[in-house]
Amino acid sequence: MLDVRGLKKVYNGGARQVEAIRDLTFTLSAGELVCLVGPSGCGKTTLLKCVAGLLTPTSGEVLLQGRPVTGPPPGMAVVFQEYGRSLFPWLRVGENVDLPLRQKGLPKARRRELVTEALAAVGLADAESAYPWQLSGGMQQRVAIARAVAFEPEVLLMDEPFAAVDAQTRADLEDLVRALWHKLGVTILFVTHDIDEAVYLGQRVLILSSSPTVVREELTVDLPDTRDQLHTRGHPRFTALRTHVQEQIQAAKRGLPSPSAAGDGEE
Amino acid sequence: MTAIARKVAAALALPVVLFAVWWLATGSSENFYFPSLRVILSSFGEVWTGDRLVTDVLPSVLRLLCGYLAAVVIAVTAGVVIGSSPRIRAFAEPALEFLRAIPPPVLVPIIMLFAGIGDVMKIVVIVFGCVWPILLNTVEGVRAVDGVLLDTARSYGIGGVARLRHLVLRSASPQIFAGMRQALSLGIILMVISEMFAASNGLGFAIVQFQRSFAIPSMWSGILLLGILGFLLSLVFRLVESRALSWYHGLRRSQRS
Amino acid sequence: MTLIERTSGGGQTAAPASGDARRGRRRGSAAWLGLAGLGTLLAVMEIVPRVGLVSSKYFPPTSRIAEALAAEVTDQAFWVALGDTLKGWALGLLIATVAGAALGVLIGAVPLLREYTASTIEFLRPIPSVALIPLAVLLFGTDIRSTLLLVVYASFWQVLVQVLYGVQDVDPVADETARSYGLSTIARVRYVLWPTALPYVMTGVRLAAAVALVLAITAELVIGAPGLGARIAVAQTSNAVPDMYALVTVTGLLGVLVNLGARAVERRTLAWHQSVRGEVAA
């Protein structure tokens, strides 16, 4: 479904070159929910922008259903961290969800249907005529999710979407993502710096190294498919997994070689 | 109810007092330059309700509107082009800052060379004066469009005309309106100046005629009319602005609390 | 309610920090591009009349304007006119600033006064200052007082309105603290209201400085009060087109200097203001 092969991104800063991503390769099969987690500053957002077609990688490629991504592909939707800045403040909630659909050229009745369904799915059926800034942070991010859902993407990219909301809202939104994923069968790539969140949400967790970034480890989350905040987080396996991820991230921060990629990473 | 009454009283009290003071202070004025308000008001009725409304007031207002609207269209178009590229902006900005800094009324004699003294000259003068504040504010507004919004639009395939209409122009609209507000007061000034300089009709022309022929009450009534016109235009502008930018004012309020 | 006219100067809105090493280099290349832009403007103004696109009688080439400018700056009368313009501008701006700031603080400090003057200010402010031209002519003729009347009227509102914004911006907590410690009204104005309003006063002065220059030159041009404007009018009537262009260029340069100077002064006060705020927030 989504293939990232040998992705490398170097920023040219005049005399100084910054290698944000060295060499990333991973694959998402259709319908998977994969979390990407890494130490702060490891180029997660850069990676996501490359995948979304918003940045051109220095080398390597991104394939969506076998086709190389050169610009934002039509079958992809992105939910950004900065909910306050990714919704159009001059459009009402319903119009925000509707605008991409209009661009797609869908007939009006179908758009109406999609907007209503998507807003209902995120629990905001009655907020359609409000402006985004009249809503709380968590609700604004729900709108952004509704907009992505209504777009009917094959792949949904989420860039630390809950980093800026409070803990309780965050738990609700995590469950919402799981529920929507089950319901729609969409492929989700979820970027986060929160280890618990990654383990709680994902079927797999990709652990990244510090910058210049490579994939440090791929971890399958062998937790039951039905998850809930209370029991899953108390599960001994959950604790074991999160401890493992935490160890890897700590090691990455200190620059220790990963077990799988030992010997790699010399200048 | 009492709150509304209080507001009305607050809004009207001082104007009423000032009006009364003016009326009484000039009540039996023998001063040639400061006729009594009663005389001014009666001459206002005589001068501005008849033919002059069509021969002087209307042409002035039409020229102002033509020049102002043309300036808005030109300035916003150019501003969007210049603002969307850092290179074009760097190239054009110092030259634009210089052109903007020229006090627009001094352009009247220059534009007269090209366009004579007719309507075209006056409209061109107004366009030339009004363009700069709108242009520079538009550039600033387009430059400042939020990066996350731009990414959002791109990833949802919102491009071309839709991007311009739903993203760039809307996002820059608070700055564009700030420029338009400055331009409006400049436009009125230029309307009057261009008519005082050389014209055969118009408000500015009429007022200067009254002054030269020492028709003092008529002159005062003309000053009064210009004041009313300025007030009305700014009122209309504020209505339009508050409608177009209601989202912006709401956003600011929500951020402040 | 109203958009604070922060954007009017163009370019002084703080750019969102896209922090990287590129910026220094970019600023350098931006300066070169800007110079190239100015050069292009001058070149176009040279070429357009030379190739006959526009008659050089109406639109003298850059070199011809430069000659006229050179002649102007060697003329004693030019400097006298420049001095007159600057005098009218500075004096008018000073009067307007003092009056606007004093009245603004007074109105702002007394809520009742603010409530009862709001409508009057909203009515008087948009009255175009040039409406006063005939009155100025009758009262003062071509005296500098004619210029002053227009300059003061036009720039007064800029200062007053900004000061009123500034007074609204006073932190209620600071004001209540001051009250609870029993500070007198005068002390509150001195220690709470004025420091808060000061940056707004400076913004008002910056806007007023530009407006004052426009009105000073307008008054000279239309009424004939002594100054650069009157000199332009003379050049026009005597059909000295290149001199007219040269003088217009001078007014433009003067405008640029006024803008740059006012922005620099404003930035200094604003920087002080923000650094103080930053400390409080930290």
Side-chain angles (χ1 to χ4, degrees):
Chain A
M1 183 69 176
L2 182 71
D3 287 292
V4 176
R5 290 189 193 153
L7 193 77
K8 178 187 179 82
K9 179 71 189 175
V10 180
Y11 287 107
N12 268 319
R16 205 161 56 111
Q17 287 203 333
V18 183
E19 188 180 21
I21 298 175
R22 173 159 296 172
D23 180 13
L24 276 178
T25 303
F26 59 86
T27 302
L28 267 69
S29 349
E32 247 194 319
L33 199 176
V34 174
C35 291
L36 259 172
V37 62
S40 36
C42 75
K44 294 187 290 275
T45 297
T46 303
L47 164 65
L48 195 114
K49 283 192 172 175
C50 286
V51 174
L54 293 169
L55 273 179
T56 313
T58 311
S59 66
E61 57 181 352
V62 178
L63 300 171
L64 179 65
Q65 293 191 312
R67 283 187 305 273
V69 170
T70 48
M76 211 183 256
V78 188
V79 175
F80 293 94
Q81 178 189 339
E82 302 93 338
Y83 51 81
R85 291 164 56 199
S86 86
L87 296 172
F88 298 92
W90 43 87
L91 296 181
R92 294 169 193 277
V93 165
E95 295 165 330
N96 260 291
V97 179
D98 186 49
L99 184 61
L101 308 180
R102 259 163 72 180
Q103 270 319 99
K104 255 185 172 180
L106 295 179
K108 195 166 182 184
R110 176 71 186 136
R111 274 160 39 204
R112 196 56 260 141
E113 204 179 330
L114 282 169
V115 171
T116 315
E117 271 174 22
L119 285 174
V122 299
L124 283 177
D126 48 359
E128 197 181 325
S129 58
Y131 282 104
W133 36 265
Q134 291 171 322
L135 308 177
S136 69
M139 283 158 93
Q140 291 184 34
Q141 196 57 293
R142 279 170 195 266
V143 176
I145 294 172
R147 178 170 61 185
V149 165
F151 196 63
E152 299 184 299
E154 290 149 354
V155 176
L156 177 57
L157 303 177
M158 305 186 89
D159 182 13
E160 306 203 23
F162 310 141
V165 297
D166 65 80
Q168 278 176 29
T169 312
R170 180 175 202 150
D172 291 345
L173 288 170
E174 284 166 6
D175 289 336
L176 175 69
V177 167
R178 287 282 302 184
L180 287 172
W181 172 63
H182 272 291
K183 195 172 130 197
L184 304 169
V186 61
T187 312
I188 299 182
L189 179 61
F190 191 105
V191 173
T192 178
H193 65 265
D194 184 315
I195 294 158
D196 287 47
E197 185 168 83
V199 175
Y200 179 75
L201 280 179
Q203 289 179 299
R204 275 193 297 147
V205 174
L206 296 174
I207 305 167
L208 302 181
S209 73
S210 311
S211 185
T213 311
V214 295
V215 175
R216 194 178 166 88
E217 191 184 338
E218 282 195 46
L219 183 74
T220 306
V221 179
D222 46 0
L223 288 168
D225 189 43
T226 334
R227 299 183 190 173
D228 71 89
Q229 296 287 347
L230 212 57
H231 297 99
T232 307
R233 286 182 193 268
H235 203 288
R237 187 62 193 145
F238 179 87
T239 319
L241 285 167
R242 75 166 299 283
T243 309
H244 177 77
V245 177
Q246 179 118 43
E247 279 166 3
Q248 288 299 313
I249 301 256
Q250 290 302 332
K253 273 191 197 161
R254 288 195 301 271
L256 298 178
S258 63
S260 57
D264 197 355
E266 247 97 67
E267 283 293 337
Chain B
M1 202 54 219
T2 48
I4 296 173
R6 192 189 149 81
K7 265 195 178 154
V8 171
L12 291 180
L14 188 59
V16 167
V17 169
L18 289 176
F19 202 77
V21 168
W22 189 1
W23 184 279
L24 294 176
T26 60
S28 53
S29 171
E30 296 297 318
N31 188 321
F32 181 68
Y33 293 141
F34 293 96
S36 76
L37 185 55
R38 192 170 43 78
V39 174
I40 294 174
L41 287 181
S42 73
S43 97
F44 188 95
E46 283 163 30
V47 175
W48 299 111
T49 47
D51 284 348
R52 280 196 186 275
L53 199 62
V54 182
T55 56
D56 286 317
V57 182
L58 197 63
S60 288
V61 174
L62 283 180
R63 289 192 285 250
L64 174 62
L65 288 183
C66 281
Y68 183 70
L69 293 179
V72 171
V73 172
I74 295 170
V76 171
T77 311
V80 167
V81 172
I82 296 173
S84 23
S85 153
R87 287 180 152 272
I88 302 179
R89 203 174 66 230
F91 182 77
E93 217 154 44
L96 293 179
E97 286 285 348
F98 170 71
L99 291 172
R100 167 215 175 89
I102 298 175
V106 304
L107 296 170
V108 177
I110 287 185
I111 292 170
M112 270 168 66
L113 288 175
F114 293 94
I117 59 167
D119 286 344
V120 176
M121 177 277 271
K122 291 172 190 102
I123 293 173
V124 171
V125 166
I126 293 169
V127 172
F128 240 90
C130 293
V131 147
W132 310 114
I134 309 177
L135 175 61
L136 288 166
N137 275 289
T138 307
V139 169
E140 196 56 31
V142 171
R143 187 188 68 85
V145 175
D146 193 293
V148 177
L149 272 185
L150 287 171
D151 276 350
T152 304
R154 265 191 76 193
S155 68
Y156 284 110
I158 299 166
V161 179
R163 180 172 175 277
L164 192 66
R165 195 178 128 206
H166 293 293
L167 175 58
V168 176
L169 286 180
R170 290 307 292 274
S171 168
S173 58
Q175 281 94 334
I176 295 176
F177 270 96
M180 282 168 64
R181 178 198 292 270
Q182 290 174 42
L184 184 63
S185 39
L186 260 180
I188 300 174
I189 290 179
L190 290 171
M191 173 193 90
V192 177
I193 296 285
S194 64
E195 290 166 357
M196 284 180 169
F197 234 81
S200 50
N201 65 3
L203 254 173
F205 170 75
I207 294 174
V208 169
Q209 286 303 107
F210 293 140
Q211 174 235 315
R212 292 201 179 132
S213 56
F214 293 97
I216 304 301
S218 302
M219 180 196 89
W220 271 102
S221 76
I223 293 177
L224 208 62
L225 181 63
L226 268 181
I228 293 170
L229 185 69
F231 174 73
L232 287 180
L233 285 173
S234 95
L235 197 69
V236 171
F237 183 89
R238 273 178 40 187
L239 286 177
V240 173
E241 190 206 35
S242 73
R243 270 192 73 96
L245 295 186
S246 63
W247 65 269
Y248 176 74
H249 298 307
L251 178 67
R252 298 251 313 190
R253 267 196 303 277
S254 79
Q255 283 169 344
R256 224 175 294 150
S257 58
Chain C
M1 186 200 83
T2 330
L3 188 74
I4 296 172
E5 308 200 16
R6 222 185 296 143
T7 46
S8 56
Q12 83 275 26
T13 321
S18 59
D20 56 43
R22 268 174 284 180
R23 233 191 280 157
R25 195 183 59 138
R26 243 195 228 150
R27 199 178 295 149
S29 74
W32 284 113
L33 274 173
L35 277 178
L38 282 174
T40 310
L41 179 71
L42 293 178
V44 166
M45 286 179 61
E46 175 77 29
I47 293 165
V48 163
R50 286 254 182 250
V51 300
L53 277 174
V54 183
S55 161
S56 60
K57 242 163 66 190
Y58 302 152
F59 196 93
T62 311
S63 52
R64 187 68 197 81
I65 298 174
E67 270 171 44
L69 189 59
E72 282 289 341
V73 297
T74 52
D75 187 345
Q76 182 76 40
F78 165 80
W79 295 103
V80 174
L82 181 63
D84 282 334
T85 298
L86 286 178
K87 196 167 104 192
W89 169 77
L91 209 56
L93 184 60
L94 183 70
I95 296 172
T97 303
V98 171
L103 217 60
V105 168
L106 177 69
I107 293 174
V110 186
L112 198 70
L113 216 50
R114 205 189 307 173
E115 196 182 343
Y116 276 79
T117 51
S119 64
T120 310
I121 291 174
E122 281 309 308
F123 179 78
L124 291 178
R125 186 158 74 110
I127 293 179
S129 45
V130 286
L132 300 176
I133 286 179
L135 186 64
V137 174
L138 285 180
L139 292 179
F140 308 122
T142 59
D143 196 86
I144 191 175
R145 282 175 296 171
S146 282
T147 310
L148 282 179
L149 177 66
L150 295 189
V151 170
V152 170
Y153 184 85
S155 32
F156 169 74
W157 299 110
Q158 304 281 348
V159 180
L160 178 71
V161 168
Q162 289 295 327
V163 175
L164 289 179
Y165 280 139
V167 172
Q168 273 175 15
D169 196 38
V170 167
D171 186 349
V173 179
D175 196 45
E176 271 158 30
T177 312
R179 272 174 209 270
S180 72
Y181 280 104
L183 261 66
S184 67
T185 305
I186 292 187
R188 275 192 292 129
V189 169
R190 168 79 184 77
Y191 294 108
V192 180
L193 205 144
W194 178 248
T196 315
L198 187 61
Y200 290 86
V201 177
M202 296 320 294
T203 304
V205 172
R206 173 171 64 75
L207 295 170
V211 168
L213 185 69
V214 172
L215 265 298
I217 289 172
T218 304
E220 295 159 6
L221 183 72
V222 178
I223 301 174
L228 286 175
R231 212 170 154 77
I232 292 176
V234 171
Q236 185 216 4
T237 46
S238 55
N239 222 0
V241 176
D243 296 80
M244 203 163 84
Y245 274 89
L247 289 165
V248 167
T249 309
V250 172
T251 62
L253 292 175
L254 212 54
V256 170
L257 285 180
V258 165
N259 285 345
L260 288 179
R263 261 184 234 168
V265 171
E266 186 194 29
R267 205 174 307 126
R268 285 185 71 133
T269 23
L270 283 179
W272 164 80
H273 182 68
Q274 270 157 2
S275 69
V276 171
R277 283 214 158 159
E279 276 171 33
V280 172

